[in-house]
Amino acid sequence: MDLDLLLNVLFATIRTGTPLLLIALGELVCEKSGVLNLGQEGMVLMGAVSGFIATVLTGSLLLGVIAGMMAGMLMSFLFGVLAITLVSNQVATGLALTIFGTGLSAFLGASYVGVGIEGITAWNLPFLSEIPLLGQVLFSQDPLVYLSWSIFALVYICFRSTRVGLTVRAVGENPEAANALGMSVFTVRYLAVLFGGAMAGLAGAYLSLAYTPLWSEGMSAGRGWIALALVVFASWKVQRVMLGAYLFGAASIMHLVLQGMGFEISPNILAMLPYVATILVLVVIASDAGRARLSAPLALGQPYRPQW
Amino acid sequence: MSFLMPLRIEKRASDSQVMAVLSPLMAMILTLVTGAAVFASLGHAPGEALYTFFILPLSDVYGWTELGVKVAPLLLCAMGLMVCFKAKIWNIGAEGQFIIGALGGGYLALELAAFESAWALPLVLFFGASCGLAWAALAAFLKTRFAANEILTTIMLNYIALNLLLFAVHGPLKDPDGYSFPESALFSDFTMLPLISEDYRLNISVFFALAAVAIIWTLMARTFIGFQISVLGEDASAARFAGFKEKRLVWFSLLVCGALAGLAGVSEVSGPIGQLNPYVSPGYGYTAIIVVFLGRMHPLGMVGASMLLALTYMGGEMVQMDLSLPKSITGLFQGMLLFYLLACDFLIGYRFVARGHLTGASDGS
């Protein structure tokens, strides 16, 4: 493989991995607080369509990104009302969120299919982008990629050495004890769920404003679900989420490599790769099931209802 | 916060059976109200729009037969999913099993194009159902052998199934005389399901669905394996303690669902569609999940729920034609319905009581 191809592949790996990284970071925080939100796919789609519409209407990419995040948060708030306040089954509620988000986004975006916009362009960081090879791969990306790294760093530091991270974990491991210590389980869980929604919405906006600047129905193509598998794959460790996201990014752009090397394979067959990879990953994790179960937040998926 | 509330929430001593029945009705009413607001915000008279969505599609015999065309696949998928959900096996894979059933059965139907025998159709149907079953077997294998989460594996299998279908209709199964459309050739009459009346599209697959209702109902209510499935879902440790073979129940539930969803898929291509194309399913496998919840996992409830959800497909097409709204409004109504249902279900386990009013019901909770 020649160097140019390799650099292109690495560059595209980061681009493709970015939405996965964002969704998975959001879901990780959410799951750390004990809430399993299977509605990622619906929130991503709502983020994508809202971001796109806002940009078309206002002409501002920044407003588009903000609208995408707001839409994701609004959706996650709905989830919170049902799954946290009304203690509904988290699995069913997450599925409902995905079904609802898929439907609503298709409805809202129906008249925007085929509309073109000027997407978010690369931002060459001064000095850094001039580093040979590395600069081309890492520091000639678009601003949302840099933002994803900042969020990653924040989440990492938060769980590693702050009180906030500790509180979230306490609530996810043992809500009764956390409550007895004076933490508000509801507030912490709502905030974690909202953060997850913001990240999923941001990932959606990334897809419709930067990755492929257009809107098409169901354009997230299962990324929300893949990110859920990623969190398990990462056994709830922040740094492994990043590794996993880029590994999946690489698997999703294998067709670039194969085409570059002169292989002729149907694009539909190649499109299966990330899904097959997800299943393989689930199998590999499960062979280490004991450890995976140990690292999962203890109260994950269990509703918490205090005495009122 | 409790000081500000004139009502307080209290856990019921036991789940309310009345609310379990009322909750879907409340969800429907809330969906209608919200739907009216949505229509109004889009500048349509709400009453007229709701009429167009829910009543107009069923204003003639043709409408009712079309309802049957959509009820059949929904009900077949939903009955299969119900068996899985009863066991708390979260199989989201009916969509993929449906597609693979359509693809497998469709492949055989194309191979048998020159086989002019009454055996052609049963072979096609059997093969389609078997393909759906095999697709579900993958998820069962992954769950029982590797303890892989079935929600994620079945979703992934759905995406893989869709890409397989796309590959087939763009490649090996594409009609050589079909210009550049990604479609197979039309199936021969010997591989098509008989119509109930020549004037309509309704075919005998609606009887398959009704038979599935009867069989699954009997299975769950009258057989030991049905009982084991319910116990596994209610309390997995009790099921293990009783010596029930959990893995065998997982296999059984998933295979039943796969076969039924596969049959639904092959019936769709050997019925209303008559060929393979990229759009064999408008999301029946996902909508069937809502049918199961809305129908309270009860066979009769699910028949009613499948009719309502079938109607949302027709309503979407109707408002697209009459009010030129996007037909994806169907998904919006379906999602709202499920959301409201989950919210109303809160009242099954909890109730509001006036502050200061003492009841003994919450003791011991």
Side-chain angles (χ1 to χ4, degrees), chain B:
Chain B
M1 70 201 268
S2 48
F3 295 103
L4 300 172
M5 289 172 79
L7 295 172
R8 71 194 158 85
I9 297 165
E10 174 182 281
K11 184 150 178 62
R12 291 178 196 269
S14 64
D15 285 357
S16 160
Q17 297 302 314
V18 178
M19 280 314 301
V21 177
L22 280 184
S23 165
L25 298 176
M26 287 165 60
M28 279 182 233
I29 293 169
L30 287 168
T31 304
L32 284 180
V33 173
T34 317
V38 169
F39 283 127
S41 71
L42 295 168
H44 295 280
E48 197 185 324
L50 285 179
Y51 176 83
T52 310
F53 194 96
F54 287 103
I55 311 284
L56 205 54
L58 296 180
S59 56
D60 51 14
V61 180
Y62 172 79
W64 283 94
T65 60
E66 281 296 299
L67 191 76
V69 168
K70 294 182 166 60
V71 161
L74 276 177
L75 203 47
L76 280 169
C77 292
M79 292 317 292
L81 286 176
M82 186 264 267
V83 177
C84 294
F85 292 175
K86 273 271 186 196
K88 293 244 164 63
I89 299 164
W90 296 103
N91 170 18
I92 317 298
E95 181 76 5
Q97 293 144 18
F98 180 100
I99 289 174
I100 292 298
L103 179 58
Y107 165 76
L108 190 64
L110 293 167
E111 288 292 307
L112 296 181
F115 182 57
E116 302 193 342
S117 150
W119 281 101
L121 179 66
L123 280 174
V124 166
L125 293 179
F126 181 76
F127 189 64
S130 310
C131 288
L133 179 141
W135 203 246
L138 282 174
F141 173 72
L142 291 167
K143 182 169 172 63
T144 52
R145 175 70 182 76
F146 299 107
N149 179 312
E150 73 273 16
I151 300 176
L152 294 172
T153 55
T154 51
I155 292 261
M156 293 302 130
L157 286 168
N158 289 349
Y159 285 106
I160 295 172
L162 181 62
N163 277 301
L164 270 177
L165 173 71
L166 291 175
F167 166 70
V169 295
H170 280 102
L173 299 184
K174 187 168 147 183
D175 182 5
D177 309 322
Y179 306 102
S180 58
F181 294 112
E183 303 172 337
S184 76
L186 292 173
F187 298 169
S188 88
D189 287 347
F190 287 88
T191 52
M192 292 289 284
L193 287 163
L195 296 173
I196 289 174
S197 154
E198 283 304 315
D199 303 330
Y200 305 108
R201 298 201 305 162
L202 186 65
N203 63 48
I204 59 167
S205 67
V206 71
F207 296 125
F208 299 164
L210 293 175
V213 172
I215 292 167
I216 299 293
W217 195 348
T218 315
L219 175 86
M220 296 309 291
R222 292 272 177 276
T223 68
F224 185 50
I225 190 150
F227 172 72
Q228 288 177 306
I229 287 172
S230 304
V231 174
L232 179 65
E234 291 289 324
D235 188 343
S237 54
R240 255 170 255 134
F241 187 69
F244 299 165
K245 304 248 181 331
E246 187 176 351
K247 287 188 176 176
R248 197 186 290 174
L249 295 174
V250 171
W251 273 97
F252 180 82
S253 317
L254 277 163
L255 293 187
V256 166
C257 182
L260 289 175
L263 180 63
V266 64
S267 301
E268 194 67 11
V269 289
S270 286
I273 300 180
Q275 65 178 157
L276 284 174
N277 67 31
Y279 320 105
V280 296
S281 170
Y284 285 141
Y286 295 118
T287 306
I289 298 171
I290 309 178
V291 171
V292 180
F293 283 113
L294 193 66
R296 304 270 82 144
M297 301 206 197
H298 186 282
L300 287 185
M302 285 165 60
V303 172
S306 67
M307 290 171 75
L308 179 66
L309 283 147
L311 182 58
T312 61
Y313 282 108
M314 299 171 70
E317 282 163 21
M318 196 58 93
V319 295
Q320 183 172 39
M321 265 189 302
D322 278 16
L323 310 177
S324 50
L325 289 171
K327 89 174 171 199
S328 41
I329 196 168
T330 296
L332 180 59
F333 270 91
Q334 294 182 351
M336 269 191 322
L337 195 56
L338 183 52
F339 253 136
Y340 279 130
L341 180 74
L342 291 168
C344 294
D345 279 356
F346 179 71
L347 295 173
I348 296 176
Y350 297 85
R351 66 174 163 196
F352 294 99
V353 287
R355 185 151 291 286
H357 178 70
L358 277 179
T359 57
S362 67
D363 291 351
S365 67

Side-chain angles (χ1 to χ4, degrees), chain A residues 79-163:
Chain A
F79 176 86
V81 170
L82 282 159
I84 301 176
T85 306
L86 298 182
V87 290
S88 66
N89 179 317
Q90 292 182 10
V91 172
T93 312
L95 281 173
L97 196 68
T98 288
I99 293 176
F100 180 69
T102 310
L104 182 59
S105 63
F107 178 68
L108 291 174
S111 52
Y112 289 89
V113 175
V115 176
I117 55 161
E118 197 73 43
I120 296 173
T121 46
W123 227 26
N124 294 341
L125 293 186
F127 306 116
L128 288 173
S129 62
E130 280 153 38
I131 304 172
L133 308 184
L134 212 58
Q136 200 182 328
V137 172
L138 291 179
F139 301 114
S140 312
Q141 299 277 1
D142 58 70
L144 291 187
V145 171
Y146 308 136
L147 179 63
S148 76
W149 294 341
S150 326
I151 295 170
F152 167 81
L154 263 175
V155 173
Y156 181 78
I157 293 167
C158 179
F159 279 114
R160 195 183 162 80
S161 49
T162 70
R163 209 181 166 77

